[in-house]
Amino acid sequence: MSTYVFGHRNPDSDSIVGAISLSYLKNQLGEDCIPARQGDISAETEFILNKFGGKLPVLKTSVAGETVYIVDSTDKIHFQDDIDEATILGIFDHHKLGDLTTDTPLEAWIRPVGCSNTVIKEAYDHYGVAIPKDIAGMMMMAILSDTVIFKSPTCTKVDTKAVKELAKIAEIEDYKALGMEMFIVKSAVNGSTARELNTRDYKPFDMNGSMVGVNQLEMIDISALDDRKYEILEDMKKMKEEDGLHTMLVLLTDIMKEGSQLLCISDDESKIEAAFGKKLHNNQVWLDGVLSRKKQVIPFVQPLF
Ligand code: MG
Ligand code: MG
Ligand code: MG
């Protein structure tokens, strides 16, 4: 029986590339693994797969009775509804520890680094398995995406070293330029509806029984959305209603100005104001230096619930 390898719902590049890179490693170690995904890929991920000839992982929305490896989250809410009925053989992640539990012993590689693919790179090195050129290129791009080309506070020396080594294998000289090319693709908003924007990198979090949804748009220049704020806020209100959220947040992250415009629709705005020590004006506030949801947003919001 094959083992499925996948990342979180609403997959980002780390989740898709992690499924591919971890499957290859496990296959080299004699396990039969298949890369999988839980949903459609983003334009950014498509750019990466096209650039390096990567194959789209299979769609897997039910995993009861299967054996699985998980990458890029340990929050139950980010996985298939029947994830409890799967046997988790291992986890490769770089987030806070979530609420997934197992009935059997598992392999757990969880590190406070910038990307799951950095953790997977460490596993390749640990087992002495050579990384193929195409997979090295994709892993490098996933790390550049998750670390916002090394600008994110989540980025560590392990990540920058991994990118340099992967770039060498992939024979990419100017990896930062390629990273910028990827972020230009990621920044495109023309033709996307407010709902498409609000769900592009959306993650729900269960905060002590209250549901908090957080979406993040990482862009070269967030002023491209200046005249669409009202439309985005109106749609956030709808999403909050539909999904029964306590709070819906959208981070418009400007990777050049290195900060985020936070948009907030909440049953209790004072919680969000307390989290960041700042007042919201018209449901918005600029958070200077805030680039990372996992490190600069969730840890400040969660304790208030
Ligand atoms: Mg992710
Ligand atoms: Mg990640
Ligand atoms: Mg991200």
Side-chain angles (χ1 to χ4, degrees):
M1 195 175 81
S2 298
T3 294
Y4 290 94
V5 184
F6 48 81
H8 51 80
R9 283 185 206 266
N10 199 11
D12 58 2
S13 297
D14 193 21
S15 278
I16 297 293
V17 174
I20 295 169
S21 60
L22 183 58
S23 292
Y24 180 86
L25 171 63
K26 289 294 175 182
N27 288 338
Q28 296 313 107
L29 296 172
E31 295 176 46
D32 175 16
C33 287
I34 297 174
R37 66 188 159 93
Q38 295 192 66
D40 292 337
I41 60 167
S42 66
E44 180 199 73
T45 306
E46 199 179 346
F47 172 84
I48 296 173
L49 295 184
N50 287 343
K51 178 85 196 168
F52 294 97
K55 259 182 66 186
L56 185 68
V58 298
L59 188 65
K60 193 77 186 156
T61 54
S62 171
V63 288
E66 308 280 7
T67 53
V68 304
Y69 282 104
I70 277 174
V71 300
D72 206 32
S73 176
T74 57
D75 284 329
K76 214 165 150 175
I77 196 172
H78 297 159
F79 292 94
Q80 294 89 343
D81 293 338
D82 55 6
I83 188 72
D84 275 344
E85 295 163 61
T87 303
I88 301 173
L89 301 181
I91 292 171
F92 291 70
D93 187 28
H94 68 126
H95 290 81
K96 73 174 176 74
L97 189 59
D99 53 359
L100 268 181
T101 55
T102 62
D103 300 328
T104 47
L106 80 165
E107 176 184 9
W109 293 64
I110 305 174
R111 305 255 195 281
V113 293
C115 184
S116 301
N117 273 280
T118 301
V119 179
I120 296 168
K121 163 79 166 61
E122 289 188 298
Y124 271 89
D125 294 345
H126 173 80
Y127 289 111
V129 171
I131 307 176
K133 190 176 166 183
D134 57 335
I135 293 180
M138 290 188 274
M139 293 172 77
M140 173 194 81
M141 296 303 273
I143 301 170
L144 288 170
S145 170
D146 261 14
T147 64
V148 192
I149 319 180
F150 307 152
K151 288 183 187 198
S152 172
T154 60
C155 186
T156 67
K157 279 182 188 156
V158 189
D159 300 291
T160 50
K161 186 168 167 274
V163 165
K164 281 175 194 153
E165 290 174 12
L166 292 164
K168 213 170 195 178
I169 300 167
E171 295 174 30
I172 301 289
E173 245 171 69
D174 197 347
Y175 52 82
K176 284 193 179 178
L178 188 58
M180 271 308 280
E181 221 183 290
M182 170 175 68
F183 271 96
I184 290 168
V185 170
K186 190 175 204 170
S187 298
V189 291
N190 285 344
S192 293
T193 63
R195 181 57 58 96
E196 281 162 359
L197 295 173
N198 281 341
T199 52
R200 204 179 258 189
D201 185 13
Y202 176 78
K203 282 183 184 175
F205 295 89
D206 182 345
M207 298 197 179
N208 212 9
S210 295
M211 294 306 299
V212 176
V214 188
N215 180 45
Q216 183 173 30
L217 293 171
E218 292 165 327
M219 299 171 65
I220 306 270
D221 180 6
I222 61 168
S223 70
L225 289 173
D226 277 354
D227 55 0
R228 299 191 63 188
K229 294 268 179 65
Y230 178 77
E231 190 195 336
I232 290 170
L233 283 163
E234 284 305 302
D235 186 65
M236 287 169 65
K237 283 180 197 162
K238 282 188 204 144
M239 273 182 78
K240 181 179 170 299
E241 282 304 308
E242 288 166 17
D243 297 350
L245 305 174
H246 176 285
T247 298
M248 164 96 191
L249 301 175
V250 172
L251 290 159
L252 304 179
T253 299
D254 195 308
I255 71 165
M256 304 312 286
K257 293 193 184 80
E258 302 195 16
S260 295
Q261 185 77 10
L262 178 74
L263 311 188
C264 169
I265 300 290
S266 178
D267 287 341
D268 184 1
E269 283 194 353
S270 73
K271 277 200 191 319
I272 303 306
E273 292 181 333
F276 300 103
K278 287 201 161 173
K279 285 265 170 233
L280 290 156
H281 298 285
N282 300 324
N283 305 92
Q284 301 180 41
V285 66
W286 172 255
L287 301 175
D288 209 35
V290 170
L291 293 173
S292 167
R293 169 170 51 194
K294 75 171 69 62
K295 200 163 179 175
Q296 294 170 296
V297 175
I298 303 303
F300 297 94
V301 175
Q302 184 132 23
L304 296 168
F305 283 85

